[in-house]
Amino acid sequence: MKRRPILDVSDLKTVFRIGGRQVAAVQDLNLTVAPGETVALVGESGSGKSVTSLSIMGLLPRKVGKVVAGRILFRGKSGEERDLATMDSEALRSIRGNDVAMVFQEPMTSLNPVYTVGEQIAEPIRIHLGRSHKDAAESAVGLLAAVGIPDPGRRARQYPHELSGGMRQRVMIAMALACDPVLLIADEPTTALDVTIQAQILDLLRKLQEERGMGILFVTHNLGVVAEIAHRVAVMYAGRVVETGAVTDVFRHPRHPYTMGLMRSVPKLGEATMLKRQGIPLPTIAGSVPSLLALPDGCSFAPRCPYALDQCRAGVPALAETGGRHKSRCIRWEEI
Amino acid sequence: MSVAGSISSSARKGPIARALERFTINRIALVGLVILLCIVTAVLTYPLWWSYTPNQIDLRALNKGPSSAHWFGTDGVGRDVLARLMQGGRVSLLVAVTSVAISTVIGFLIGALSSFGGRVVDGAVMRFVDLAMTLPPVIFLLVLASIAGTGILPTILVISLLSWPVLSRMVRARLLELRERDFVVAARGMGAGLGHLLFRHGLPNCIDILVVYATLQIANAILLEAGLSFLGLGIAPPEASWGNMLNAARSTVVLEQYVWQWMFPGAALVLTVLAINFVGDGLRDAFDPRSDLH
């Protein structure tokens, strides 16, 4: 799949202001999403994956953080390529919801309790596409049907509190799709749902992507979900992408000790009981994610890395090409 | 009503419909509402069923007690107390409702400015609100009233300028909370602008505060108006208002011998304020989602 990307983020750097200091929450981030492609951003809490998605949307609270470097080139419906990082907030608003839409983590609280779900889906259609009330309401019912909600006509007239979590997440997806965006940013859309619903939502996203050909940037910490839905994956650690490539490549032949650690930490069915019987604890990555305020010199994973050398602490390793479009930010990727 | 029945029936409706449903099972609030409706209807329709007008003078009946001709008696210049009571009710309710509407708008806008304006604006606005709240209300009212003068419009102005600070505090608190709620962030993600956030998401989610506050504030405004008029700074005679009718009781002769001249307006005042307070309390309970639980 080598089409012109709709999203091309290069050298993105986002800083937080903490106690008068500027702390880089995301740096040297490069990322592309092509039409019809799903790219997953994976990492632990605090690795910068949500900050990345908020930076792209321009939704970082100004008091807290801002994008200080890099370009976020985005090609919207008009086909024109524009830099979201330097765009003024008025122009950004017309893009948000229209060309780029976002699905958030918490379906339980992401809907306004005082409007029916139909009204909430119809609203962006009315405002962004300038359609009439009646027209938009009909589209909303159609969208509810498209996201697999039975009896959409009746559901559209219900309030969020009358729907289950899975239903609400479907409503959120319907709302995000209302204006037929070219890019969908899904920030942990399945984290708050139970596993069967999670699988349904992933299926739904995949189906909708096939029908509409939009690109999806999928933020998650769940490797199982990544394997399920993504074409390409970028693993983040302490604000940097440490490994990126096609999902099958990265999962079969991880080229970075952090990815390897993550993969090892995912228990397989039956394995946990076996390990327990043998008295071996589940594998983990020793230590914890460093504070952004006190990042170690050099490779930020070095303190936890079983393969670390003195060289690793000398400087931040570059993203090295390891074949295909697979890259790793480890100086010893060939050996491990 | 079975528990399952009440849950399914209340689950099908919107938040406002559910609040109304809770309101209608509150007996005291309903009593208040009925009293209030009677008073409002009587006040609005009195020219249709009462032959006297408020400033019509009956020289054969000065300071006469209640009789079949003048149900509530007459005052010192022979005006019918019932007619004046009704007209006074019109003025009092008009002043109260209008001033509360104005102060609710001011309160909401100031609260919105404060919560969405950023830290500096918020600080400045809230210190200003503190200042407005620390002013002793009666003195402030008297100063304002002596500047604005007497009459209906100045009285409305004075009362509405006095009663917004508490509301703006409550609105600010609610909007600050809403601003961080996921659905507001989601709406921003969908490209919503400030005005949209404020009026489509903020206002409907503040409606409980606004309705309850406005209702209780109407009672307060009626009292403020009565107080101002009693002191001669609100509605000036010969225009009737409950406050300036009470003013007559300053004379010990009236107080002791012509009881009907001040007792009826006093009773009307107490009854109206009480009824509004019952309704306000009922609305507050109705809008409180936790009230479903007990």
Side-chain angles (χ1 to χ4, degrees), chain B residues 167-270:
Chain B
L167 180 67
S168 71
R169 275 267 162 105
M170 294 195 288
V171 167
R172 167 181 175 266
R174 173 63 63 88
L175 289 179
L176 280 181
E177 180 213 329
L178 280 176
R179 202 181 61 178
E180 307 301 326
R181 290 272 284 276
D182 289 337
F183 67 83
V184 172
V185 179
R188 291 180 57 216
M190 295 300 292
L194 185 59
H196 183 93
L197 290 181
L198 212 49
F199 292 105
R200 286 285 294 176
H201 294 285
L203 188 57
N205 281 294
C206 286
I207 203 79
D208 51 343
I209 301 182
L210 296 178
V211 167
V212 172
Y213 180 81
T215 318
L216 296 175
Q217 192 59 36
I218 283 177
N220 210 356
I222 291 177
L223 291 176
L224 279 176
E225 182 275 329
L228 272 182
S229 301
F230 179 81
L231 293 170
L233 289 164
I235 310 297
E239 182 70 85
S241 94
W242 291 344
N244 68 23
M245 288 174 80
L246 281 174
N247 197 0
R250 281 196 320 182
S251 137
T252 43
V253 182
V254 173
L255 188 67
E256 287 172 6
Q257 293 176 19
Y258 311 129
V259 176
W260 58 90
Q261 288 181 15
W262 55 267
M263 198 134 83
F264 289 117
L269 199 60
V270 170

Side-chain angles (χ1 to χ4, degrees), chain B residues 117-154:
Chain B
R119 196 181 295 172
V120 179
V121 176
D122 184 25
V125 170
M126 277 301 120
R127 294 302 75 76
F128 178 66
V129 169
D130 286 345
L131 195 70
M133 284 167 85
T134 47
L135 290 172
V138 176
I139 313 248
F140 182 55
L141 208 60
L142 290 180
V143 172
L144 267 182
S146 62
I147 296 169
T150 57
I152 292 185
L153 278 181

Side-chain angles (χ1 to χ4, degrees), chain A residues 96 109 112 115 123 128 162, chain B residues 11 14 182 188 190 200-201:
Chain A
R96 287 205 289 258
T109 53
N112 189 331
Y115 295 111
E123 199 160 44
H128 284 301
E162 298 169 66
Chain B
D182 289 337
R188 291 180 57 216
M190 295 300 292
R200 286 285 294 176
H201 294 285

Side-chain angles (χ1 to χ4, degrees), chain A residues 217-285:
Chain A
L217 180 62
F218 201 98
V219 176
T220 182
H221 62 251
N222 187 331
L223 293 176
V225 168
V226 175
E228 184 86 2
I229 195 167
H231 302 111
R232 284 193 302 118
V233 58
V235 183
M236 289 191 76
Y237 185 78
R240 285 194 176 87
V241 170
V242 292
E243 180 163 9
T244 170
V247 169
T248 41
D249 273 1
V250 172
F251 278 21
R252 244 175 248 150
H253 316 286
R255 297 288 188 207
H256 192 281
Y258 177 62
T259 320
M260 294 164 75
L262 280 182
M263 301 291 298
R264 255 203 311 276
S265 312
V266 179
K268 288 169 196 65
L269 201 61
E271 196 190 65
T273 351
M274 202 183 73
L275 289 175
K276 196 177 169 192
R277 232 174 260 148
Q278 295 168 357
I280 308 169
L282 283 173
T284 53
I285 305 177

